Amino acid sequence: MSHGDSPHAPVPTLPFELITEILSRIPVKFLMQLNCVCKPWKTLISDPKFAKKHLSTVTVTNLILSFMNPSREFLIRSYSLQSLFESLTSIPMNLNYPLNNRNRFDVMVGSCDGMICFAIDQNRALLWNPSIRKFKKLPSLDNPKQEGSYTVYGFGYDYLTDTYKVVGVFCYECGSGGAIAYKTEVKVHTLGTDYWRRIQEFPSGVPFDSSGKFVTGTINWLASGSDTFNSSWVIVSLDLGKESYEELLQPDYGEVAVVTLTLGALRDCLCVLAHGDTFSDVWLMNEYGNEESWTKLYRVPYMENTDSLPYTKALCISENDEVLLEFQSTLVVYNSRNGTFRVPQIQDISGWAVPEIYVESLISPCS
């Protein structure tokens, strides 16, 4: 200690604005530990405005897998997306699903800003942020039990009102005799409320997808072109702000004989996987709503000894132009530059697994 120092000199402190800037650059898992440092920090970290700031500053992207083990337990694991692209083996983190995990297989609808939406059944959905271990079970849709009926969901962010919304599309049989026809009843739940609102029904046919794909303030479904299932496909888009629909034109597939389609989202753009007999073309709508911006990124051949089965989902594209695909519950990395495949080694996964991409965040489904 120097001559002029006092043993009781005050500890130097940083301005709170600077502390806020520093904390906004720290990953979520460390912020959860810093919650206990002092009351002002805990208040800051739980502030919705800080959560938004943090989301725009720090991006940690993971892949989440849901599956049922031989003991019929519904399990969920998280994997670093970087490790799936760069490592031979990816080490998982086990996540504790907030509901009883015995004898259930809740379907992942999608993720948005760190929250993951699950369809519990055709009347109930769940929002869960595994990073902060908070969840909300949404109120019942109160759809009638009807043979042949089903519900598909969508989940996303409404930029117009700065709210998160879950959409439930209830599809049910109608008419008598001849071909089976379907009608829809569409409801919207806004996070922060305790009810569903009915909006205009589906404008064209019924959705094929198990869930809608969120892109740029819209939810998009691949749907039949009419009220029957044996018609051509259309892409139906629901604007979450206006709560109005439009039909998007598909890419010009040229001379390719498209057998089936898969709708998805890549690089925050709407994506179509157009499946032929021996390959899948990956199409991206670079400017949402502009049909002239459809661009074919890659042609991914089917892997050998796979009976020409199409890829189930395109999940992510790396900076090195590698594509992470789902194939019949298996993850595959395709290198578009040299045309090679690699299967990441994921430990102890048995049975059917469902993958989804999500980011770690502080956004709470309970707000």
Side-chain angles (χ1 to χ4, degrees), residues 157-323:
Y157 176 67
D158 176 3
Y159 296 94
L160 197 63
T161 61
D162 188 25
T163 55
Y164 295 91
K165 293 181 177 180
V166 180
V167 181
V169 184
F170 178 59
C171 308
Y172 59 96
E173 294 181 13
C174 65
S176 59
I180 297 176
Y182 278 82
K183 293 292 184 183
T184 61
E185 186 175 297
V186 185
K187 296 179 181 178
V188 173
H189 174 83
T190 301
L191 191 59
T193 67
D194 59 357
Y195 57 87
W196 292 85
R197 293 179 293 105
R198 187 167 177 180
I199 64 171
Q200 179 186 351
E201 68 180 37
F202 226 62
S204 169
V206 288
F208 279 144
D209 297 323
S210 58
S211 59
K213 308 301 184 287
F214 173 69
V215 178
T216 319
T218 67
I219 296 179
N220 304 267
W221 289 271
L222 193 65
S224 62
S226 68
D227 294 338
T228 59
F229 276 116
N230 57 356
S231 57
S232 59
W233 309 290
V234 296
I235 299 174
V236 175
S237 167
L238 172 65
D239 186 306
L240 288 176
K242 301 175 183 177
E243 294 185 354
S244 60
Y245 302 92
E246 70 172 315
E247 186 177 314
L248 300 180
L249 290 180
Q250 297 177 42
D252 180 1
Y253 303 116
E255 300 299 320
V256 175
V258 177
V259 179
T260 59
L261 296 176
T262 302
L263 201 62
L266 284 175
R267 292 177 175 168
D268 296 324
C269 296
L270 191 64
C271 166
V272 165
L273 282 181
H275 308 296
D277 291 328
T278 59
F279 58 83
S280 292
D281 285 338
V282 182
W283 290 85
L284 220 60
M285 181 181 262
N286 291 302
E287 181 185 341
Y288 187 82
N290 180 1
E291 288 85 359
E292 295 182 359
S293 71
W294 280 113
T295 303
K296 187 171 75 172
L297 291 184
Y298 316 111
R299 171 162 290 180
V300 185
Y302 295 152
M303 295 183 294
E304 295 181 0
N305 304 318
T306 58
D307 298 325
S308 296
L309 293 172
Y311 301 100
T312 322
K313 186 186 295 186
L315 292 159
C316 186
I317 301 175
S318 74
E319 294 179 356
N320 299 324
D321 283 333
E322 290 186 316
V323 190

Side-chain angles (χ1 to χ4, degrees), residues 63 65 67 77-79 83-84 88-92 324 329-332 343-350 353 355:
L63 178 128
L65 271 181
F67 65 99
R77 290 179 180 168
S78 175
Y79 300 82
S83 71
L84 292 173
L88 294 176
T89 303
S90 187
I91 307 300
L324 180 64
S329 199
T330 299
L331 296 178
V332 177
V343 178
Q345 299 303 306
I346 295 182
Q347 303 169 349
D348 304 325
I349 297 292
S350 59

Side-chain angles (χ1 to χ4, degrees), residues 23-43:
L23 293 182
S24 69
R25 287 162 168 76
I26 296 177
V28 174
K29 62 180 179 180
F30 298 118
L31 286 178
M32 291 297 95
Q33 300 170 11
L34 295 174
N35 245 331
C36 305
V37 171
C38 61
K39 188 174 181 179
W41 284 26
K42 183 175 182 179
T43 301

